[in-house]
Structure formats: C-alpha cells, structure tokens
Amino acid sequence: MFKPLLIAALLSAAALPAAAETLTVTFTKAQPKGAIMVALYKGEDTYNGGKPIKAETVTVTGDTATVTFEVEPGQYGIKAFHDLNGNGKMDFNPFGMPTEPFAFSNNAVGRMGPAKWDDAAFEVSGNTTQNISF
Amino acid sequence: MTDLSRRSFLSTVTGAGLMAAAPKSWAAAAPSASGDWRLGVANAPAEGYAPSALTRLHGQMPKGLSGTLYRNGPGWFRYGDDVTGHWFDGDGMIQKYDLTASGVRHTGRFVDTVKHRVEQKRQAIVMPGFGTKGRADAPVTSNDDVNAANTSVLRVGDELWALWEGGSPYRMDAQTLLTRGPKTFRDDLKGMAFLAHPKVEPSGRIWSAGFMGAKAWIWQLSPNGEMEQGAIIDLPAAGYAHDWVVSEHYLILPMQPWVAKTRTPPFVDSLVWEADQPIRVLVVDKTDFSKRRLFELPSATYFHTGDAWEDSDGTIRFDVCLAKSPQFGATGARELVKGIYKGDEHTEAHLALITLRPNGKAEMELTKASAEFPQTDHRVQGLRHDLVAHVGGYLKDRPGAHMLSTYNWRTGKSDTHDFGHDAIVEEALFVPRPATAGGTGKEADGWFVGTVLNLKARATELHVFDAGNLKDGPVASWRSQHATPLGFHGTFAQP
Ligand SMILES: [Fe+2]
C-alpha cells in the first residue's frame, strides 16, 4: 500500500526536471475576443532571437486570461501578443507597425520595439506568478 | 504632491506669475525691446480655458458672419526646467472661438493624448517626438503613444479631429472638445500616419497621406470620414513632407531634398539637407494610383502649400511658401522653446507659383512676398484661384509674422495690413459670405478671420477683414481674456 505510492512519486520526479515549478501567467485588461499567443524564453540569448522553450495559445473570453507552464528554475522572459482577429499571427499596418496589442513579462515596455531582456527577465524559483497587462 | 500642485498653480497664473514660472534658463535670454514674444511658447493652463467673452475693440460682426473658428497648436512645453526639444512637440491644444451677432466667445482644451497624460502624470518631458529625444523608459508601443495631436484640425460630422502627421487623427467632440481617442479607419490601418494637411474636395471627399521613409500611404475618405480606399505608393525620395497638394485630378507630392536617413529619434535629427538636390514632385492620378509622373524643381524647402489647379491644357499650378534653408525647422524652432531667437533671413519663406507642364518641364516663379500659412478659398479646392492669403514680414529681434496679406496671381498685386512690431500674426482663414447674406459665391466675397498675439496687451485678438480689402485694416476686432500659445492651423465651421 505504502510502497507503490513512494515508487510512483519517485518515478514522476524522475520524468520531470529536477524541481518542476509552476509558472502562472495572468493577462489582464484584454479585450474579450481572439486569443493570446504566449512565448516563453529561457535565458537572454533565446529571448533575443532564439526559439521559445514553450509556447501556448489561450482563448480570451473575458478581460483576463491565464496560462500555466511547468518549468525548471531559472531566468525567463515572456513575449505575448493578443491575436484579436484570430488569424493566428501578429498583424502589422502597411508601415510595419503592430496593429494588435503586445506585452512582455514584468510589463516591460520597449521603445518602438520589443522590451529589453534586462527589463523583461524574471526569476522562477518556486511557484511563480506573472501578471501582464495589455 | 506639494511640488506638483505648486507647479500647476504657477502655470495657470498669467502676467507676473508667468515669468515666475518661467524656467531659470530664460533669465539668460535678452529681453525683447517690446512685448515678450516668449508669451507665445508659455504653458497654457493644464485645465484649459473656461468659456469667456472676448472684449470688442472696434467694429461690428458683419452680417452673415457666424460660426466657429477652431485652432490647434502646441500648448504645453515644459515642466520647470525640463523643456520639450522642439516647438512642434508641445502638446496639442484646441482654441474654439464662437462668432455670433452678439460677439465672440472663447474656450480651449488640451487634446487628451497618451503623451499628454503620461507627461502630466510624471510632470516631465518623457516621449520622443519631432525634435525631442525622449526618455529611455518612455512607454511607447505605437505611433499614437507619441502623437502630439498639435498641428491642425478637421471638422468631420459632429467630431473635430486634432491632427498631427505621424499618427492617427485624435477624435474630439466638436462642441465640448472632450477627447474620444485616436481614429482607426480599419483594423489593419491602426496607427497609420495621417497628415495635418488633408485636402477636402468641393464634393466633400477627403484626401490625406502619411509618410514613412520613401513610402507614402494615400487616404481616400468619404465626406463623413470613412475609408473609401488607401494604398502605398513609392516615393522618389524620403523627403520630409509636412504638406502636399491636390488638384481636381491629381495628388501632388513635392518631395523636398530634406531627407530622412535614419529612424532614430528625434525625427528632425534624421533629416539631412541636400542643398544640391532638386525637389522631386510626384504627380499621381486620383483615379489610378499607378499612373505617375515625375517633375524636378530647383532645390528649396517648404512647410506649406496653398492650393493647386489645372489649366485647360493639363498644366498643373500650385502656390507654395519656399525657403532657402530648413534651419528654422532643424534648429530655430528648437531654440524657441528655450526662449532663444536668432533671426536668420535664409529661413524666411516667400510665396512662389509652381508650374508643371504636360511636356514634363517644371517652373518655379518666386515672388517677393514674405509668406507663411497660405490659405485659399476652400470652396474651390483643387480649382483655379486668384487669391492666396498669408502671413509675413519677419523681424530680426523676435519670431513670427507681423503682417497679413493676400497675393493675387492674376494681377501680381499684394494687399497687406501691418499689425506692427508688437503683434505676432497667426493663420487667417477665408470665410465665404453666405447666400442668405447676399453672398455671390465669387472668390474674395467674404472675410478673412484670424488671430493675433498682441504682445503689448498680453492677449490674443481675433480680427475680421473684408477679404477684398486688407490694407484698410480689420472691419471688427475683439480681444481675448487670455494670451493663448501661438498656434499652427485652424478650420472655420459655418452653420
Ligand atoms: Fe502645417
């Protein structure tokens, strides 16, 4: 009775990285339509042009939306945009300026471009929450 | 908080209080011999101007003249010694003058832009602009976050659009002047540049443009301001374009050799003056944007055109105010907000007539008329006109014009009223005499209505002229309770 439970616990710990933490990302002040596309980057290099470690799409039906990631501890950054028209991509006007809302972790703000890593980077150690406002 | 309220208080008092609130840096500037021109670039009260009646100086409201004069211009420049980088970066403020048989009433309000809100909250110059670098932590996610909405106005339905040139028109309630937000014409066109100089055809159709590098976006709007069509066109040069020209059949884009080389703010620092390069004039067919012609004019710089028309043989003509050097925009207008004026005659613009021939030849005919803020009879937009009104007559010891004139292309004659050394003359608009008051519909059958900052009286004045006779002076004049900051452009809405 006791033994199988212990084995199951050990097995699951082995299947996931050493200490998996839950990163909860809550988006606020969103328009209740379309979907938010969230890209999670681990470390400065991937944030500055590499591939996200995880990506999620969350449908927006109210003014908030939440997505969770299971990740190992470390330094992370988030880039998100709100795909208002649901066409699966971020839209730009004919002069190349974004026409859909976008946001970064820590609510960091870029100057006519993405927010800098130094402003967007956050630490995951233990269960972590990011509140991002559009 | 204490500091904040103290500043707000100081910025709302006029007269002696104005200089008390002036930045320390102004103390170094030599005082002007007459009234202090820096009144024109002082902060307006943050809460706006409460409605008040102007005091009549002389004359009576002409029979048939009624309506509202809306004017836009920069109205906020500094937080203590933190000064905006350029006169063109002051926060847009609308002045509204209601003209009735019983006189003139005034009210004014800031356009509630993102830029104005952010900077008022932080009590600091934060956002990048035409000539302002902006702070590293400026919260900028789109052009409209830095939109100053400070250049002109367009009346569309029950709305007044406060216009800039690098972002959307800002919609306001035309009666209360309360801001409704940026105008989005279509979801995919959010934040696109929209000139402060749209042209309204006699049919009511609205043409505007937006510029970015060597590309322009053309806006074709219905009379009620809704999208009819738009398109990108390639330009012959990335010349700075503050204004353009539209004739009956053509969109005319004179690209001056003041060329954007980078995209790093502030914008004006990205512009390089290429004095040996021509003005490249692109002419686009209104009904088929792919039909394009190119003309070349000698090197010159300009901010404003008057209007265009076409001769029966297809020749296109337009009036424009040309200067030899863009120094005013590049540096002079930066110094103004610091309280510094160095007169430079090369920056003075003169009225010119441009002729674009069907054989591809282009001509530039310069007049001796010192001219800025050209205005024509908007009823004949894009059609033949003889008269162009303009301000002019620049001085060495203070910025701004002191004369209001008309120039007649048919006779080659000027008609001028000189307001004198103590007056800074602002744009005057033609208001036609309505048919109900005996109006004939002919050009110059009406009035010019304009404002003047009287430096001695420390008050803004509104003057009404017979359009055909400026030299005898205004037929009626009123004086405001306030000296409002110098503005750029306006529109007159008749009932
Ligand atoms: Fe202008």
Side-chain angles (χ1 to χ4, degrees):
Chain A
M1 195 62 193
F2 182 71
K3 219 174 176 182
L5 263 181
L6 182 66
I7 290 165
L10 284 170
L11 276 177
S12 63
L16 287 169
E21 312 292 358
T22 301
L23 167 63
T24 305
V25 185
T26 301
F27 296 96
T28 58
K29 295 187 185 168
Q31 296 173 54
K33 59 176 175 178
I36 294 172
M37 319 279 257
V38 196
L40 178 69
Y41 297 86
K42 186 168 189 210
E44 184 169 3
D45 289 350
T46 60
Y47 181 87
N48 288 334
K51 278 208 168 117
I53 185 168
K54 289 184 185 214
E56 287 286 346
T57 301
V58 51
T59 306
V60 188
T61 51
D63 65 352
T64 65
T66 299
V67 60
T68 58
F69 298 97
E70 298 299 321
V71 293
E72 59 186 90
Q75 288 270 100
Y76 291 87
I78 292 170
K79 297 177 185 173
F81 77 92
H82 192 162
D83 182 21
L84 290 170
N85 59 8
N87 68 352
K89 61 184 176 73
M90 183 158 172
D91 292 322
F92 297 87
N93 73 23
F95 281 170
M97 300 294 183
T99 55
E100 290 179 312
F102 56 93
F104 305 91
S105 37
N106 300 339
N107 288 309
V109 179
R111 241 179 83 151
M112 300 309 251
K116 290 203 176 76
W117 166 255
D118 284 349
D119 299 324
F122 62 97
E123 183 81 29
V124 175
S125 60
N127 290 344
T128 305
T129 302
Q130 271 282 320
N131 286 307
I132 299 177
S133 167
F134 274 107
Chain B
M1 203 56 209
T2 314
D3 193 41
L4 193 149
S5 2
R6 182 177 59 85
R7 281 192 200 160
S8 313
F9 169 69
L10 283 177
S11 64
T12 57
V13 295
T14 52
L18 176 80
M19 289 319 288
K24 290 190 226 58
S25 51
W26 279 12
S32 174
S34 59
D36 194 333
W37 63 265
R38 294 172 296 187
L39 196 56
V41 289
N43 287 348
E47 69 277 17
Y49 296 106
S52 65
L54 276 70
T55 304
R56 190 174 63 91
L57 297 176
H58 69 91
Q60 298 293 334
M61 188 67 74
K63 187 174 158 283
L65 177 57
S66 68
T68 302
L69 169 66
Y70 295 97
R71 287 182 47 75
N72 194 354
W76 194 282
F77 309 92
R78 58 184 61 80
Y79 298 89
D81 272 354
D82 188 7
V83 185
T84 183
H86 203 287
W87 184 31
F88 300 172
D89 291 331
D91 291 341
M93 184 179 205
I94 307 298
Q95 312 297 340
K96 178 173 180 271
Y97 296 93
D98 291 308
L99 282 67
T100 63
S102 55
V104 184
R105 289 185 67 80
H106 165 256
T107 185
R109 209 186 270 278
F110 277 98
V111 189
D112 190 16
T113 59
V114 172
K115 165 178 151 52
H116 185 62
R117 235 177 293 150
V118 165
E119 296 189 344
Q120 287 286 318
K121 193 174 172 198
R122 286 172 62 171
Q123 290 285 297
I125 303 296
V126 176
M127 300 300 212
F130 185 86
T132 305
K133 193 159 181 289
R135 299 205 173 182
D137 62 350
V140 184
T141 61
S142 80
N143 287 16
D144 284 334
D145 290 341
V146 300
N147 190 336
N150 65 0
T151 315
S152 190
V153 281
L154 183 66
R155 183 71 202 262
V156 183
D158 70 339
E159 291 190 338
L160 185 73
W161 292 356
L163 306 175
W164 193 45
E165 64 191 20
S168 311
Y170 252 89
R171 300 162 49 227
M172 304 174 88
D173 182 299
Q175 296 311 320
T176 63
L177 300 182
L178 289 171
T179 300
R180 293 176 177 168
K183 169 79 180 175
T184 298
F185 294 95
R186 221 167 59 193
D187 284 350
D188 60 317
L189 299 174
K190 216 177 152 202
M192 285 291 284
F194 190 101
L195 277 187
H197 291 283
K199 311 292 177 186
V200 183
E201 282 183 358
S203 71
R205 172 174 287 160
I206 301 162
W207 293 93
S208 189
F211 293 86
M212 171 110 130
K215 289 193 188 303
W217 172 263
I218 303 297
W219 297 101
Q220 182 190 320
L221 309 178
S222 68
N224 60 6
E226 296 309 320
M227 190 77 193
E228 285 184 344
Q229 66 161 324
I232 283 274
I233 57 171
D234 290 316
L235 298 171
Y240 173 59
H242 171 78
D243 197 356
W244 64 329
V245 215
V246 173
S247 66
E248 188 179 3
H249 299 99
Y250 303 103
L251 312 172
I252 302 151
L253 299 94
M255 305 313 296
Q256 58 188 324
W258 198 21
V259 183
K261 296 288 186 187
T262 64
R263 283 172 67 174
T264 317
F267 176 75
V268 72
D269 288 346
S270 75
L271 298 174
V272 175
W273 174 240
E274 298 182 327
D276 59 337
Q277 292 295 308
I279 299 179
R280 295 184 171 88
V281 189
L282 182 67
V283 176
V284 180
D285 198 312
K286 275 182 180 176
T287 58
D288 180 354
F289 295 171
S290 71
K291 284 191 185 151
R292 299 171 194 185
R293 286 181 287 158
L294 195 60
F295 296 84
E296 285 193 1
L297 290 165
S299 178
T301 183
Y302 78 101
F303 278 108
H304 297 117
T305 68
D307 194 11
W309 73 84
E310 297 159 23
D311 292 347
S312 53
D313 69 351
T315 298
I316 299 168
R317 299 178 198 269
F318 64 90
D319 30 35
V320 58
C321 299
L322 293 175
K324 289 186 184 123
S325 148
Q327 277 314 303
F328 179 74
T331 57
R334 287 186 133 150
E335 293 167 344
L336 286 191
V337 289
K338 296 191 181 87
I340 299 162
Y341 175 71
K342 301 169 193 157
D344 175 358
E345 60 188 350
H346 292 297
T347 65
E348 182 175 358
H350 290 86
L351 187 67
L353 185 69
I354 304 300
T355 301
L356 308 176
R357 305 264 178 210
N359 66 3
K361 291 257 164 40
E363 294 148 33
M364 180 188 278
E365 179 194 336
L366 263 181
T367 73
K368 289 192 166 63
S370 162
E372 246 305 342
F373 297 118
Q375 276 295 327
T376 56
D377 182 344
H378 294 302
R379 292 173 302 176
V380 290
Q381 191 284 326
L383 305 172
R384 168 75 212 204
H385 64 271
D386 288 332
L387 272 194
V388 53
H390 56 87
V391 307
Y394 292 81
L395 298 165
K396 278 214 166 81
D397 63 343
R398 55 136 257 230
H402 59 91
M403 297 190 291
L404 181 68
S405 304
T406 55
Y407 188 88
N408 188 314
W409 290 116
R410 196 170 38 80
T411 64
K413 284 188 178 144
S414 277
D415 176 20
T416 293
H417 175 71
D418 192 341
F419 282 91
H421 190 267
D422 293 318
I424 299 183
V425 183
E426 303 186 275
E427 179 187 86
L429 294 162
F430 177 73
V431 183
R433 188 188 317 277
T436 50
T440 59
K442 285 189 180 141
E443 194 178 5
D445 186 11
W447 308 276
F448 281 105
V449 177
T451 48
V452 165
L453 179 59
N454 184 328
L455 299 172
K456 218 175 205 170
R458 303 181 68 82
T460 298
E461 294 169 353
L462 185 140
H463 299 279
V464 175
F465 287 86
D466 254 328
N469 181 2
L470 301 192
K471 68 178 189 307
D472 287 344
V475 295
S477 301
W478 289 262
R479 183 173 292 164
S480 168
Q481 311 304 314
H482 310 284
T484 58
L486 291 169
F488 294 132
H489 303 289
T491 191
F492 195 96
Q494 284 180 286

